[in-house]
Amino acid sequence: MAIRAKKANVIVDEMAKLDKEEVAFLFELIKNSMVPGKHIHIAMNIVTKLKNQYKLWDKKDLIVTKEQKAKKVLDDQIKKAQQETVKRVKQTDGEIWIKDEN
């Protein structure tokens, strides 16, 4: 058994109310479709999320550390994102500057 430090998954984010068969169907659908080059990054993000969700279906050793309602988790994540955005914004001489993420 491996221990991963400082890594936590919010299962609410990963489980989008799809069962294992539906996730496998979406994999096949994406695999057999032609994705235009300008949308390939979107397809890759979707495939990554589906892989994470598919892996969670097979995990038997999930440990529930705390239970929260989905709305509260979403509100907390929105609040955190807003606080990070406010930290990046700077106003000088009537101009608004936004620090680049990189």
Side-chain angles (χ1 to χ4, degrees):
M1 181 176 160
I3 297 174
R4 293 183 185 170
K6 296 183 181 181
K7 183 173 183 180
N9 284 339
V10 179
I11 294 179
V12 174
D13 289 343
E14 298 295 330
M15 305 303 283
K17 297 183 182 178
L18 297 173
D19 61 20
K20 193 172 182 177
E21 291 175 357
E22 291 170 335
V23 172
F25 172 76
L26 289 173
F27 272 133
E28 286 299 315
L29 192 65
I30 292 171
K31 184 174 101 175
N32 295 329
S33 65
M34 296 189 59
V35 179
K38 66 180 182 178
H39 299 298
I40 196 74
H41 65 283
I42 297 171
M44 292 303 298
N45 288 339
I46 292 170
V47 167
T48 303
K49 290 177 184 179
L50 287 172
K51 281 183 183 178
N52 289 339
Q53 185 172 347
Y54 194 81
K55 288 177 188 175
L56 281 176
W57 282 110
D58 292 331
K59 274 196 169 183
K60 294 180 176 75
D61 60 343
L62 289 177
I63 299 171
V64 177
T65 55
K66 67 179 178 178
E67 292 184 17
Q68 290 182 324
K69 294 191 181 250
K71 178 148 178 49
K72 184 178 181 338
V73 172
L74 183 62
D75 289 342
D76 290 344
Q77 289 178 346
I78 290 171
K79 187 176 181 180
K80 182 181 174 186
Q82 288 173 341
Q83 289 173 347
E84 289 174 3
T85 304
V86 169
K87 288 179 186 175
R88 291 185 5 216
V89 174
K90 179 182 172 186
Q91 186 173 1
T92 47
D93 298 328
E95 295 178 340
I96 296 176
W97 294 84
I98 300 175
K99 185 177 179 182
D100 191 12
E101 291 180 6
N102 298 330

